[in-house]
């Protein structure tokens, strides 16, 4: 709703849902860290895509305040629950 279109950011890493994972906190954090360390291209480092599924997290996901321009979390479909 801010009247500004979302940028088209290429997906650099995909996190897939697995039935044997109880807590995705560390997996998602590692994906964000990897993409955050990538070089800037047109002002963005890339996106982390969460494939459809439930992603329970017991910890807060941390974004480094400096060094990442935009590690966008892209939701595919409407069946992604964090």
């Amino acid at each position: 709703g801010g009247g500004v279109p979302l940028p088209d950011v290429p997906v650099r890493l995909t996190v897939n849902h697995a039935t044997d994972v109880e807590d995705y906190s560390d997996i998602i954090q590692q994906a964000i860290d990897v993409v955050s360390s990538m070089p800037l291209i047109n002002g963005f480092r890339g996106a982390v895509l969460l494939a459809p599924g439930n992603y329970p997290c017991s910890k807060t996901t941390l974004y480094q305040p400096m060094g990442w321009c935009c590690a966008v979390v892209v939701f595919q479909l409407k069946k992604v629950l964090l």
Side-chain angles (χ1 to χ4, degrees):
V4 178
L6 294 174
D8 184 21
V9 180
V11 172
R12 300 289 183 211
L13 213 111
T14 299
V15 175
N16 291 301
H17 180 263
T19 56
D20 61 339
V21 177
E22 294 181 15
D23 187 349
Y24 283 87
S25 301
D26 292 335
I27 295 169
I28 293 172
Q29 182 65 61
Q30 289 172 359
I32 291 170
D33 292 346
V34 167
V35 173
S36 295
S37 70
M38 293 179 174
L40 288 170
I41 299 173
N42 297 325
F44 296 98
R45 298 182 190 283
V48 174
L49 172 66
L50 299 182
N54 295 329
Y55 293 85
C57 296
S58 64
K59 303 177 203 171
T60 302
T61 304
L62 302 175
Y63 301 93
Q64 298 300 323
M66 298 188 64
W68 75 287
C69 183
C70 190
V72 179
V73 177
V74 178
F75 297 98
Q76 186 181 51
L77 303 175
K78 295 183 180 178
K79 185 73 175 157
V80 175
L81 304 174
L82 291 177

